[in-house]
Amino acid sequence: MFRRVSAFFLFLSLLLPTVSVADVTIFIYHRFGDHRYPSTSVDLNQFREQMAYLRANDYKVLSLAKMVQTLKQGKALPERAAVITIDDGYRDTYTKAWPILRSFGYPFTVFLFS
């Protein structure tokens, strides 16, 4: 996962060479409620609690596109900005994560591997 995060920030630094992205928390998920893969799957109750934590603590969940657009325009991100990303596009993204994210009204970005 470290390589993916590093590659992601390298990608952002190429797009936004003069802007710091330290003012945003980026969540990276892979699988949801799939206990066969404990190192890459988040328990659904924990995931729901994490999303509730964001709401209760006034995080502003932005789409990845909105974050990039804001930074490219040289504007400041809102305080407590957060972005939710999901790697690989497993079926549980649609069947398990999306209903939870939709209930909170949170945007998210899915990175598909081909």
Side-chain angles (χ1 to χ4, degrees):
M1 183 162 71
F2 178 73
R3 287 186 187 140
R4 288 185 183 182
V5 172
S6 297
F8 178 72
F9 283 108
L10 175 62
F11 170 73
L12 281 180
S13 69
L14 293 173
L15 285 177
L16 312 163
T18 62
V19 177
S20 168
V21 292
D23 294 9
V24 62
T25 301
I26 299 176
F27 294 87
I28 303 169
Y29 294 98
H30 292 273
R31 296 177 187 265
F32 301 87
D34 191 338
H35 302 292
R36 296 174 299 166
Y37 305 98
S39 66
T40 59
S41 182
V42 62
D43 177 81
L44 290 179
N45 289 327
Q46 288 178 334
F47 182 62
R48 193 174 288 107
E49 288 172 4
Q50 291 168 4
M51 298 303 104
Y53 178 89
L54 295 176
R55 170 151 305 142
N57 289 278
D58 297 321
Y59 279 82
K60 309 299 184 262
V61 179
L62 308 172
S63 69
L64 181 62
K66 179 67 175 174
M67 182 199 76
V68 170
Q69 176 188 30
T70 301
L71 294 174
K72 283 177 84 171
Q73 293 172 347
K75 296 179 181 176
L77 293 169
E79 284 191 41
R80 296 186 180 211
V83 171
I84 299 168
T85 68
I86 303 170
D87 285 352
D88 304 321
Y90 294 108
R91 182 182 307 265
D92 58 25
T93 297
Y94 178 72
T95 61
K96 298 177 181 177
W98 186 52
I100 294 170
L101 291 163
R102 184 178 55 202
S103 74
F104 284 93
Y106 290 160
F108 60 97
T109 300
V110 178
F111 291 99
L112 299 176
F113 179 76
S114 62

